[in-house]
């Protein structure tokens, strides 16, 4: 088995595009397209903060259960996808949770609303999201 160590990978056809052969051996997938470009595990109650994140410059707490993620590096367009993950409190969540878009997506930020199963805005201790798309 060989080991490749490098700090930078650059595609030969296009500098920002590298294809990888998939598990089946015949189809390829684009490496850059398959990576999350931003994600956040945030504390939504009390002092809102990112517990850990990628490409999140700051979080704006706009109202009860409403937040805006401000990106460190903008997306290339506003057609990215937000994969809303799990949310709730530390072992005490008793009803379902969901997130929804709270404003028109922008290349520099994403606004969302956190609600409970009874459609009530919630500031939960743990909110987990990932965003996929092209960076600028």
């Amino acid at each position: 088995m060989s080991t490749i160590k490098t700090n930078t990978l650059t595609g030969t056809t296009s500098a920002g595009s590298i294809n990888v052969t998939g598990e089946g051996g015949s189809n390829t997938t684009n490496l850059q397209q398959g990576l999350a470009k931003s994600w956040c595990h945030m504390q939504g109650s009390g002092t809102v903060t990112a517990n850990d994140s990628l490409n999140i410059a700051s979080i704006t707490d706009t109202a009860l259960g409403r937040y805006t993620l401000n990106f460190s590096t903008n997306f290339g367009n506003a057609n990215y996808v937000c994969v809303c993950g799990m949310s709730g409190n530390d072992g005490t969540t008793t009803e379902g949770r969901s997130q929804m878009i709270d404003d028109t997506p922008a290349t520099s930020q994403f606004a969302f609303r956190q609600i409970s199963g009874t459609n009530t805005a919630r500031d939960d201790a743990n909110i987990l999201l990932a965003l996929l798309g092209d960076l600028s």
Side-chain angles (χ1 to χ4, degrees):
M1 166 116 347
S2 298
T3 301
I4 298 172
K5 294 183 178 182
T6 184
N7 290 325
T8 305
L9 293 173
T10 303
T12 55
T13 304
S14 173
S17 181
I18 298 172
N19 289 322
V20 178
T21 302
E23 298 81 3
S26 59
N27 293 316
T28 60
T29 186
N30 185 279
L31 179 64
Q32 289 84 345
Q33 288 290 313
L35 301 174
K37 303 305 183 350
S38 180
W39 57 264
C40 188
H41 177 170
M42 61 177 276
Q43 167 72 35
S45 60
T47 301
V48 174
T49 187
N51 295 329
D52 201 0
S53 66
L54 171 70
N55 195 24
I56 300 295
S58 63
I59 302 169
T60 305
D61 185 358
T62 57
L64 178 67
R66 297 172 74 178
Y67 313 94
T68 299
L69 301 176
N70 302 294
F71 305 129
S72 301
T73 300
N74 289 353
F75 277 82
N77 59 58
N79 298 320
Y80 52 86
V81 174
C82 178
V83 180
C84 297
M86 297 182 286
S87 59
N89 294 305
D90 294 325
T92 61
T93 305
T94 58
E95 59 184 2
R97 299 286 196 269
S98 62
Q99 295 91 23
M100 62 183 68
I101 295 172
D102 201 38
D103 198 356
T104 303
T107 58
S108 61
Q109 63 186 26
F110 179 73
F112 71 98
R113 182 181 301 224
Q114 171 79 12
I115 61 169
S116 70
T118 58
N119 203 27
T120 304
R122 298 296 304 241
D123 281 344
D124 284 324
N126 295 289
I127 302 172
L128 295 73
L129 304 107
L131 295 108
L132 307 148
D134 298 325
L135 293 181
S136 61

